[in-house]
Amino acid sequence: NYLDIFTINEEHFLIRSTLTGFMDTTVPKQGFLQIHRQYVVNLSKIDQVNVAQNYLIVAGKQLPISRTLKKKVVDLIQAKPK
């Protein structure tokens, strides 16, 4: 169980943890969202959302939104202050 963590500054960290364990112990509860079983994003770094095609753009990278998390993602993004 390893996680690849990529930052907006293009730093890369490899840590030994599960995504769930990392989310529960390390990531702040506010401001981060799991959008797919493999992806967690900082809500303030989302550049674009394409709900119809199930993806969002963060730092120029297209990341998938899972079908099961889509409603939660859309609700949180719509509630986010502009």
Side-chain angles (χ1 to χ4, degrees):
N1 294 327
Y2 289 90
L3 295 176
D4 277 324
I5 299 174
F6 297 90
T7 69
I8 225 57
N9 302 331
E10 299 195 16
E11 295 174 301
H12 176 241
F13 302 94
L14 182 65
I15 63 168
R16 185 176 180 143
S17 178
T18 63
L19 185 57
T20 302
F22 185 74
M23 290 289 292
D24 290 343
T25 61
T26 308
V27 176
K29 301 297 180 213
Q30 296 287 20
F32 286 83
L33 175 65
Q34 184 169 356
I35 61 165
H36 190 275
R37 70 184 183 116
Q38 296 177 328
Y39 297 99
V40 174
V41 297
N42 182 330
L43 289 172
S44 68
K45 301 300 181 185
I46 296 173
D47 299 319
Q48 180 183 352
V49 179
N50 186 322
V51 176
Q53 304 234 344
N54 294 339
Y55 72 84
L56 51 81
I57 306 288
V58 176
K61 299 199 180 357
Q62 182 175 311
L63 304 175
I65 301 171
S66 75
R67 290 185 307 243
T68 56
L69 294 172
K70 182 177 180 177
K71 181 175 178 1
K72 183 178 180 181
V73 170
V74 170
D75 290 347
L76 277 173
I77 289 171
Q78 287 176 345
K80 182 178 91 165
K82 305 275 187 233

